[in-house]
């Protein structure tokens, strides 16, 4: 039953434009080119005078790729290069669109944001083969990322993932697998496929694009953009994802914005440009400084009155191991200490406890022996215990 519902939800979720707005042709030199279906004109002809992002009228440089995915489909991808770019944007588009419709937007984003941009069509969209499905979109974005790595030498540290609407699904799928990713942008994103159709808080096995689970695993800065009047994906989806993000960036709630018109608002490009600039200047040192406070243990409390602190052996790796009441060892980051009398087999580094001569404890005033188990057996009235 679950498989049937999953199949139906997948059919409901994907609406590829029919017919495709563009076609792929092979040139005499063997490279691929894209032309509009309606006019047979190259896509780049309409963008020939667009600024290249560096102040000159360099026009548009477009690389067309046909990539085979691990699920056997061939998908089409466009790569637009900006000679002044420091970062690359991997764009996963919305539901009822293909690369032909989005090409003008790609050119504007490349120029205004000063980024390289890679966009792709999901399986069954545009000139890509296969049928659209959740698993196919995951394989699609993985193939595109592999192309960026192998063909352009782009690492995850220089990559920003951008997911619009349904595209937030494959975007967060890949983001959870790239721990050193520079950033993520979620544009009119969904909590999950089922939550778009009906407002539910529980989880179902037949749900698709469970972004509500994946957003917590994304470690990089996450920008959420959503329209307050979105009647397709309610604003609550974007707000929920922003609240659950590990490293949320200042969100953009576009007042009066719908589902497919946010690019028309001046705040959209202005806020997105600010995010890109901050990601460009962010260094590894800056990121570690932001992460470090989250990993820092609470301040060690006073050991006065702690019945365990006076009987702990000294660990070779941890000069001052902590007992359970002191919140664990500061060097080993153990949640609870185990080097006191509760566990005499191992110290707080999970290494064998040092032998009796190395154990630095107060000697028993009754027998003048240290307080380890070896000596305590010889003194039943040992006051240390």
């Amino acid at each position: 039953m679950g498989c049937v519902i999953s199949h139906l939800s997948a059919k409901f979720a994907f609406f590829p434009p029919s017919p495709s707005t563009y076609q792929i042709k092979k040139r005499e030199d063997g490279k691929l080119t894209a032309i509009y279906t309606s006019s047979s004109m190259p896509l780049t002809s309409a963008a020939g005078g667009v600024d290249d992002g560096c102040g000159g009228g360099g026009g548009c440089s477009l690389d067309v790729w046909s990539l085979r995915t691990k699920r056997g489909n061939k998908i089409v991808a466009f790569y637009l290069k900006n000679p002044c770019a420091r970062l690359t944007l991997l764009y996963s588009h919305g539901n009822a669109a293909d690369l032909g419709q989005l090409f003008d937007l790609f050119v504007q984003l490349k120029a205004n944001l000063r980024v390289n941009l890679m966009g792709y069509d999901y399986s069954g969209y545009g000139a890509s083969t296969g049928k659209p499905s959740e698993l196919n979109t995951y394989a699609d974005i993985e193939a595109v990322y592999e192309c960026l790595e192998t063909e352009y030498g782009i690492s995850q540290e220089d990559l920003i993932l951008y997911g619009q609407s349904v595209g937030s699904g494959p975007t967060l799928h890949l983001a959870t697998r790239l721990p050193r990713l520079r950033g993520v942008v979620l544009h009119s994103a969904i909590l999950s496929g089922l939550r778009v159709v009906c407002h539910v808080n529980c989880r179902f096995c037949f749900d698709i694009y469970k972004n509500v689970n994946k957003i917590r695993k994304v470690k990089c800065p996450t920008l959420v953009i959503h329209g307050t009047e979105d009647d397709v994906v309610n604003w609550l989806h974007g707000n929920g994802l922003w609240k659950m993000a590990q490293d949320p960036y200042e969100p953009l709630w576009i007042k009066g914005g719908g589902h497919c018109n946010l690019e028309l608002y001046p705040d959209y490009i202005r806020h997105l440009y600010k995010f890109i600039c901050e990601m460009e200047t962010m260094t590894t040192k800056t990121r570690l400084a932001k992460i470090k406070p989250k990993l820092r243990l609470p301040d060690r409390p006073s050991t006065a009155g702690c019945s365990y602190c006076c009987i702990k052996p000294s660990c070779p790796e941890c000069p001052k191991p902590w007992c359970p009441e002191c919140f664990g060892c500061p060097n080993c980051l153990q949640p609870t200490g185990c080097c006191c009398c509760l566990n005499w087999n191992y110290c707080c580094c999970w290494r064998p406890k040092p032998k009796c001569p190395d154990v630095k404890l107060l000697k028993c005033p009754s027998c003048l022996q240290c307080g380890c188990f070896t000596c305590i057996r010889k003194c039943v009235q040992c006051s240390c215990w």
Side-chain angles (χ1 to χ4, degrees):
M1 181 64 181
C3 295
V4 174
I5 298 177
S6 177
H7 179 67
L8 292 175
S9 61
K11 290 184 67 176
F12 177 81
F14 301 102
F15 298 98
S18 182
S20 170
T21 62
Y22 72 97
Q23 296 177 355
I24 299 299
K25 299 285 186 180
K26 182 174 289 188
R27 300 186 310 199
E28 295 180 357
D29 58 3
K31 294 183 178 181
L32 297 177
T33 185
I35 63 173
Y36 287 108
T37 302
S38 57
S39 62
S40 298
M41 294 288 292
L43 268 64
T44 53
S45 61
V50 176
D51 191 279
D52 60 7
C54 291
C60 178
S61 173
L62 173 65
D63 294 343
V64 180
W65 292 92
S66 179
L67 307 173
R68 182 171 292 277
T69 73
K70 64 181 181 182
R71 293 177 64 86
N73 298 321
K74 283 189 175 182
I75 62 169
V76 177
F78 290 173
Y79 181 77
L80 289 75
K81 181 175 178 59
N82 188 321
C84 295
R86 296 176 57 186
L87 300 178
T88 298
L89 202 68
L90 201 170
Y91 193 107
S92 300
H93 62 70
N95 196 356
D98 62 15
L99 293 179
Q101 295 172 321
L102 294 168
F103 181 71
D104 290 340
L105 173 64
F106 288 172
V107 173
Q108 296 297 330
L109 291 178
K110 181 206 73 165
N112 294 326
L113 301 178
R114 295 177 181 263
V115 294
N116 302 316
L117 192 146
M118 173 74 94
Y120 67 101
D121 264 338
Y122 312 122
S123 298
Y125 278 71
S128 299
T129 65
K131 295 182 179 180
S133 71
E134 179 185 14
L135 294 180
N136 278 342
T137 59
Y138 294 161
D140 298 341
I141 195 171
E142 289 173 5
V144 175
Y145 174 67
E146 183 179 356
C147 176
L148 287 173
E149 275 192 314
T150 57
E151 300 296 336
Y152 298 101
I154 296 173
S155 63
Q156 56 180 289
E157 291 87 352
D158 298 322
L159 185 65
I160 294 177
L161 301 184
Y162 189 112
Q164 179 188 12
S165 189
V166 170
S168 60
T171 292
L172 288 178
H173 165 78
L174 184 61
T176 59
R177 301 184 173 208
L178 303 178
R180 301 187 305 276
L181 193 65
R182 184 59 66 100
V184 168
V185 180
L186 299 176
H187 174 165
S188 302
I190 64 175
L191 286 169
S192 74
L194 187 61
R195 285 172 171 81
V196 176
V197 181
C198 53
H199 300 289
V200 294
N201 292 324
C202 49
R203 302 173 183 178
F204 297 93
C205 62
F206 52 83
D207 200 0
I208 64 173
Y209 293 132
K210 300 174 185 177
N211 297 337
V212 65
N213 300 337
K214 297 178 181 178
I215 186 64
R216 306 176 193 269
K217 302 176 183 179
V218 178
K219 301 178 181 179
C220 61
T222 304
L223 166 62
V224 179
I225 302 174
H226 216 105
T228 59
E229 301 299 325
D230 192 330
D231 57 355
V232 177
V233 179
N234 192 280
W235 168 83
L236 294 175
H237 286 251
N239 188 49
L241 291 171
W242 176 69
K243 288 183 176 180
M244 289 183 286
Q246 281 197 31
D247 189 2
Y249 186 82
E250 179 187 356
L252 175 60
W253 311 130
I254 298 182
K255 187 175 181 180
H259 189 68
C260 301
N261 64 348
L262 301 187
E263 298 88 351
L264 302 179
Y265 289 80
D267 286 345
Y268 166 80
I269 197 67
R270 188 182 301 119
H271 198 81
L272 191 55
Y273 179 74
K274 176 184 175 184
F275 175 74
I276 296 294
C277 290
E278 291 192 21
M279 294 304 102
E280 287 179 344
T281 57
M282 183 176 62
T283 62
T284 302
K285 183 177 180 180
T286 305
R287 294 189 64 179
L288 289 177
K290 294 178 65 177
I291 296 173
K292 190 175 180 180
K294 300 179 182 179
L295 301 179
R296 186 178 301 160
L297 289 174
D299 294 337
R300 182 179 179 179
S302 171
T303 57
C306 175
S307 59
Y308 301 111
C309 293
C310 62
I311 61 173
K312 293 180 309 215
S314 294
C315 168
E317 300 294 331
C318 304
K320 295 180 180 180
W322 294 358
C323 73
E325 295 188 13
C326 300
F327 299 97
C329 168
N331 296 333
C332 301
L333 299 180
Q334 295 294 333
T336 58
C338 53
C339 47
C340 62
C341 62
L342 299 181
N343 187 341
W344 288 94
N345 295 324
Y346 297 93
C347 67
C348 56
C349 290
W350 297 102
R351 298 190 179 190
K353 194 188 71 166
K355 294 182 179 179
C356 179
D358 297 326
V359 178
K360 302 184 190 303
L361 290 175
L362 294 176
K363 291 185 177 181
C364 171
S366 300
C367 60
L368 297 180
Q369 294 176 339
C370 72
C372 70
F373 271 3
T374 302
C375 299
I376 192 59
R377 288 196 294 265
K378 300 176 182 179
C379 177
V380 294
Q381 295 180 352
C382 182
S383 61
C384 292
W385 302 91

